[in-house]
Amino acid sequence: MKENRTEVGTDKQNNAKIGGTIGLGRIISVVLVAVAIVAICVILGVQSFSKGETTQGALYVVLAVIGVAATVAILILNNLNGKKQ
């Protein structure tokens, strides 16, 4: 009976490292989604503020800030992870 074992940090079947940095295509996808989220939040926030709904407008501003912060965090962590390898 043959045992199928893998070493820590590698996948022998695909000969690829487990973990590591995110590929350029995924980085572009993350940034595009973040830009779309921020754009939608800004549009809805402006509409809310123009109607006098400050609480709802503030919520959209907070969501836009969270979207930007998450994207920056992903990019920074990806960059740091790439430097470790």
Side-chain angles (χ1 to χ4, degrees), residues 4-72:
N4 189 8
R5 299 173 73 181
T6 59
E7 295 177 15
V8 176
T10 61
D11 180 359
K12 283 187 173 182
Q13 291 175 343
N14 295 329
N15 198 19
K17 290 186 178 181
I18 296 173
T21 59
I22 302 172
L24 181 61
R26 289 188 181 178
I27 292 292
I28 292 171
S29 298
V30 166
V31 171
L32 288 177
V33 168
V35 167
I37 290 171
V38 170
I40 291 168
C41 288
V42 167
I43 291 168
L44 293 175
V46 168
Q47 288 175 353
S48 296
F49 283 123
S50 67
K51 291 179 184 177
E53 300 170 350
T54 56
T55 305
Q56 190 174 9
L59 174 67
Y60 288 122
V61 170
V62 169
L63 289 175
V65 170
I66 290 172
V68 170
T71 303
V72 169

